[in-house]
Amino acid sequence: MPKKNRTKKSASSGKKGKASSQQPTTTIVSENRKARHRYEIIDSLECGMILMGSEVKAMRDGKLSLDEAYIRFQKNELWLIGADISHYANAGMWNHDPRRPRKLLLHSREREAFAVKAKERGLTLIPLRVYFNARGIAKCVMGLAKGKQLHDKRQTIKERDTQRGLQRAMRRR
C-alpha cells in the first residue's frame, strides 16, 4: 500500500494579513550614551554573554546600567567589568552579585584582533549596547575606543548644534 504524502499547513499559511511578513525584532536593554561623548569609537563588534538565570530575568525588566562598565582582556578571555545588573526580586536566595565580572563570548580570531589593537595603541574596550536578539539571546556590542580630549568634546558639541540649526532651517522653508 503506497504511503500518502501529507503536508502540514502552518498556522500562518491559511491567514491573510501582516502576521507572516513581520520581521523579528531586537529588544534593547541598555545603551551606554555617555560613551559617544567621552570616546571616539573606532570599531565595534557584537559578542555573546555568559549570564545567570536571575541576571537574564532582571535584564528583561530593564535593570542594567553600563555607565561605569568597561571590558578587560585577562587570561586570553574578555570580561565585562563594572556592569550593574540589579537583583531580580523573585530569585530569592539564588540571586546574583550585581557587579560581578561577566565573560564575553567571541571567536578567537576576533578576540585576538581586538586585544592586540587595544594593547598596542593604548585604546579602550567599552560596552556600547546590550540587547536581546530575535532569538532571545543576550548580546553585547563592544567598541574599540579612544578617549577624547576636552577640545574634541567641544568640537563635537559645536558640530551637533550646527547640524541641528541646519535641520531646523530646512524644516521652516
Side-chain angles (χ1 to χ4, degrees):
M1 184 175 227
K3 291 184 180 180
K4 292 183 181 180
N5 198 4
R6 295 181 184 173
T7 58
K8 292 184 180 180
K9 288 187 177 180
S10 64
S12 63
S13 64
K15 297 180 182 178
K16 292 183 181 178
K18 293 185 178 181
S20 62
S21 65
Q22 288 180 348
Q23 294 292 329
T25 59
T26 60
T27 307
I28 296 177
V29 177
S30 180
E31 196 163 349
N32 193 351
R33 294 183 182 156
K34 292 181 181 179
R36 303 256 181 224
H37 179 69
R38 292 179 181 166
Y39 301 99
E40 177 186 346
I41 309 300
I42 297 169
D43 196 8
S44 64
L45 183 67
E46 178 187 74
C47 55
M49 302 171 67
I50 295 181
L51 299 170
M52 295 173 62
S54 59
E55 289 174 331
V56 174
K57 295 218 177 202
M59 283 174 53
R60 290 199 188 280
D61 287 342
K63 297 181 178 179
L64 170 66
S65 174
L66 295 175
D67 289 341
E68 300 172 5
Y70 58 95
I71 297 171
R72 282 280 180 240
F73 187 74
Q74 296 172 346
K75 298 180 184 175
N76 208 20
E77 296 174 341
L78 286 173
W79 293 87
L80 177 63
I81 299 172
D84 188 11
I85 301 176
S86 298
H87 285 278
Y88 181 63
N90 296 330
M93 63 182 253
W94 294 282
N95 233 325
H96 60 275
D97 179 22
R99 296 185 60 91
R100 76 175 184 90
R102 291 159 183 95
K103 187 175 175 182
L104 298 177
L105 304 172
L106 284 114
H107 290 285
S108 59
R109 61 184 172 275
E110 293 172 338
R111 182 178 57 231
E112 295 298 326
F114 263 66
V116 167
K117 286 179 188 176
K119 285 182 182 178
E120 283 180 2
R121 299 184 196 166
L123 302 175
T124 306
L125 291 171
I126 55 170
L128 300 175
R129 183 174 59 245
V130 174
Y131 63 94
F132 288 104
N133 68 3
R135 293 174 45 205
I137 298 171
K139 298 287 184 176
C140 175
V141 176
M142 70 173 185
L144 188 63
K146 178 182 178 185
K148 284 186 181 178
Q149 300 294 326
L150 181 61
H151 60 84
D152 293 335
K153 292 178 187 177
R154 289 180 184 158
Q155 183 67 27
T156 304
I157 292 170
K158 188 188 299 184
E159 290 171 2
R160 186 175 58 219
D161 289 343
T162 305
Q163 287 296 324
R164 273 193 205 144
L166 290 173
Q167 289 175 353
R168 286 181 188 152
M170 294 300 287
R171 275 187 272 157
R172 290 181 192 154
R173 283 187 142 191

